[in-house]
Amino acid sequence: MAENMDDMQEIVQDFLVEADELLEELDEDLVRLENESEDEDLLNKIFRAFHTIKGSASFLGFEKLTELTHKLEDVLNKLRKFELKLNSEMMDAILEGVDKAKEIIGLIKDGGDPESVDIEKNVKQLVSFLDQNYKPEEESSGKTEDTMNEDELVELQEQEIMEEEAEVEAEESEKKSGKEKPKSKDEIEAEIERLLKQRMEEDKEKRLKRKEKILSELQKKQFAENVKEKKNEIKEENVPDKKKKSTMAKKSKPIVEQTIRVDVQRLDDLMNLVGELVLGKNRLVSVAQKAEEKLSGDEVVEELGEVANQITLVTTDLQMGVMKTRMVQIGKVFNKFPRVVRDISRELNKEVELIIEGAETELDKSVVEEINDPLVHIVRNAIDHGIEAPEDRVKLGKLSKGKIVLSAYHEGNYIVIEAADDGKGMDPEKLKQKALEKGLITETEARQMSKEEAFALIFKPGFSTAEKVTNLSGRGVGMDVVKTNVEKLNGIIEIKSEVGKGTKVILKIPLTLAIIQALLVKVTKEYFAIPLVSVVETVRIIKDDIDKVENKDVLRLRENIIPLVYLGDTLGIGKNKKTLDGKEIYVVVVAIAEKKIGLIVDELIGREEIVIKSLGNYLTNIKGISGATIMGDGSVTLILDVANVINEASIISANIEDHLIDGYKKEQPVALVASRELKAKNDLVNALEGKGYNVVYAHTDKEALDLASEHLADIVFIDLSIYINDGYNLAKSLRSMPAYKVTPFIAISTDGTYDKEKLKESRFNKLLFTPIEKNEIYVAIEEAMSRNILVA
Amino acid sequence: MNGRDVDLFDKSLALSADMEEEIARKNRKADTIIMKDEYEQVVGFMLNKELYGIDILDVEEIIKPVDYTYVPNTKPFVMGVINLRGKVIPVVDLRIRFGFVSNPISADSRVIIIAHNEYNVGFLVDKIEKVYYIEKKSIEPTPPNIPQNIERYVKGVGKMPKKIITLLNIEEMLKEGGSLTPKTGSTMEVVKNG
């Protein structure tokens, strides 16, 4: 029994997947049908889709769905036999039917009651097409639909009633669904409906017979017309038409593909494992490099290098392979748009043609899911605010039909999605005016704003340029959603617009979310990974390149003015840190959605492939940090949340010059002592203070690095055995700071051991052993100082 | 999960002296079988010269302090995050957490990796003592002389023949999290500045 249930569950699942696919295709096909209503192959395909869903639904006992698709199937059947001619009212009803079917499928999926959907009105409407058109085929030729004369209707009804009456009883006991339907007020109507439903279930011969009757008795004229039309078509478009049909046929009958369905969870797990492997590979590569540095020329080391290279290649391929299995075509999203465009343009009484390009471009499944909503908003906006009303367009000398082009293509590790319209475009001045009125920006801000920045105003919450608020857009939330969603994907939005010519919205989104390219930077003593998708460029400047606008630092970069901020300040770790050399300042220009700023960092480390890891439940929602990754050497590096950093940057009051080492004045010389041994520390402090030094003391390397950037010591004493990493590494880190390139470093060995090579490498000037005599210290200082001069 | 892996410690610690004493005592009295249920196994550690205990089922492992990465915008007691075999784990300086003066990391310093529900956190402590078997009967509610800032994280005090051990309530300690802007904070920021 339980097994049966499982089997059943499986069948239902299969059905849902199939129905989803069919319904999705239907949307696309139906909109196409509106323009190519004579396309028999297309009609057949749609008919088959409804038929398939109906079959499965009835087998599984989804009564409403069966009834609905049955009616749709009937209408399509008539259409494909050219007994009916498609008009927009009919199309609306069919599309509504598809929507209802989707709603029912959705309910089945979510465990809701699929029979709770109200389909009565829709079914009635669908039935009415069948009903009217049994006799007056003239409707299908495009004349008004309610010209059916009463006699005909009555006759038809009577005829039906007579025909079906005998079956009613049997039917009633069989079909309980009839009872579930809400009772109609009009008894006769209800009767007719039930009868009609029954009639639909009869085989097609009857219909054909009736059709013949109708045709011969009432519709000779129409028939003649039809024939004429057909003939014309054949004459005029014989060759192209056939061609068209053959391509259609190809489309509707896909080659049997060798595919299997795979649970997405499994792919996610696989992707995680690949992530781990990438980390392992990074580590292997770094070990191999280290080995090479240490023991270059050794045979084993060379072999290790080869293995590392090979593993790198295989890992990259494997990663690409797994990524590809998760890829879906963006067409999956794009294909919904003919329907969206059709609905919106009809509602707004605009004429819009949608052109889709690059639907076969692939991107990660998780990204596809997130991209749909923003695109809908963008397209809505384009139709609502961009494309002018047909009569206005004609006046302007444009085609009355507006055009929207949705396109997608790959660019490196990103997918670029563009939505372009040929509407009225956006006027930056008007946008600024609007934003001013709404109090979103100040006068000065408006004046300094570039064209691009003005366009970006539409993403501000509460901004709407439409004079009247329609139910589609203009509530001032839509574009805000676009921004939020795109930011979530680490994407960039760009807008190009020209008054009178149109607007183009460009989205640039990373292909995958799990493994990304990042730029590693160092600021204060910390390293951070900036997702490369957010990085526009990196530039090296000097302090004189920094301009001021309203006491905020900015950089003039070609045409643009970019706000500058010290990365440490945006993260709250920059206070009192002096790490910048005015002759050499590194700026990472980052952009998220429509915002762009320059982040000043101490060092650019390089580019690396990183695997995004969460910080876990204990550290949720850390400001400025979106996650972490593990580097080749096993250390953890945090990934910047660029969107948050950019937001934070706008409220920072600190200036860049606070972080420059140039021109920093202190009253007395400073000595930094980094030691974990209290005895050594005390000896040093006593001796140094006696010499007039201001002594700052650190007992870990991390503390020492912080103090070093805050105080700019003139001499540094380092305990070689200091926690957490040793003194050699501390010295190396200090040497990389601009303020400590030539500062005298004195090493202290508390256990009598030392590594000569490492001392040299970290450029220590002197070595002392504990216990230290006062005089020893003074001599060491002298020597270190003088050597320092030599080095300089 | 692997918290019961007593091999992490000195083998002789697996059965503590107290425990042995206890067993001997019981054996003398009668042939009673010691029921495991009657005892709580805790990892004992020193912090600010006092003995604390964490339920051994919450302890995943104990490691020596390793290099950590500082995380901005976290509470002062969050030292940073470490890499534990590919997993990113936050480390809390328990001294600062309890309001004591921070001590430099020494040769005795250890990080206790806690695995509790969905949480993975490391606690930096001064020194690991050993695994104690505390008779459940002997656990008493928190006495009033425990400082207020620690009181809420204490679930009881275990009395042993020679000393007492303060048992920590891990659930309570992890609940607050280490972020300065948990959950809603940053979205509000965005609204303000956006």
Side-chain angles (χ1 to χ4, degrees), chain A residues 385-505:
Chain A
H385 303 310
I387 306 275
E388 308 91 334
E391 49 295 359
D392 294 341
R393 288 182 66 89
V394 173
K395 268 184 225 156
L396 288 163
K398 291 180 179 176
L399 288 171
S400 70
K401 208 171 197 180
K403 198 161 81 176
I404 289 182
V405 183
L406 265 184
S407 57
Y409 55 90
H410 281 148
E411 199 184 278
N413 273 331
Y414 314 111
I415 182 166
V416 181
I417 301 166
E418 297 181 349
D421 66 62
D422 66 346
K424 57 182 172 239
M426 293 193 293
D427 182 353
E429 290 311 314
K430 244 186 176 170
L431 291 169
K432 285 184 203 173
Q433 198 54 42
K434 198 90 197 170
L436 266 176
E437 279 167 30
K438 303 225 166 191
L440 295 168
I441 53 168
T442 64
E443 288 267 358
T444 14
E445 277 178 312
R447 242 181 295 120
Q448 286 159 358
M449 227 170 229
S450 69
K451 213 165 104 182
E452 284 73 28
E453 283 170 315
F455 293 148
L457 284 171
I458 63 167
F459 296 114
K460 287 219 180 233
F463 186 89
S464 165
T465 50
E467 260 73 63
K468 61 172 196 286
V469 172
T470 69
N471 81 30
L472 291 172
S473 55
R475 286 153 302 179
V477 287
M479 293 312 259
D480 184 32
V481 170
V482 173
K483 191 183 124 183
T484 326
N485 270 334
V486 173
E487 271 180 8
K488 214 161 69 187
L489 296 169
N490 277 326
I492 296 179
I493 307 178
E494 210 178 301
I495 299 177
K496 287 182 180 158
S497 185
E498 212 169 311
V499 177
K501 291 218 174 131
T503 305
K504 188 192 249 182
V505 182

Side-chain angles (χ1 to χ4, degrees), chain A residues 245-257:
Chain A
K245 276 182 184 170
S246 68
T247 57
M248 286 298 156
K250 238 191 241 163
K251 262 192 191 168
S252 56
K253 268 186 224 154
I255 312 140
V256 181
E257 282 179 65

Side-chain angles (χ1 to χ4, degrees), chain A residues 651-713:
Chain A
I651 49 166
I652 280 172
S653 53
N655 282 118
I656 311 292
E657 54 259 45
D658 300 344
H659 303 292
L660 290 174
I661 54 170
D662 325 33
Y664 173 70
K665 296 214 169 54
K666 46 200 168 186
E667 281 163 16
Q668 57 186 121
V670 176
L672 171 65
V673 175
S675 161
R676 73 178 165 115
E677 281 221 350
L678 275 180
K679 173 84 174 61
K681 172 219 157 187
N682 288 338
D683 290 347
L684 282 165
V685 171
N686 284 335
L688 289 164
E689 277 177 350
K691 268 271 179 180
Y693 278 99
N694 172 22
V695 184
V696 288
Y697 167 65
H699 53 230
T700 65
D701 50 358
K702 285 189 193 288
E703 260 182 283
L705 287 166
D706 276 337
L707 288 174
S709 55
E710 282 164 27
H711 292 278
L712 302 189

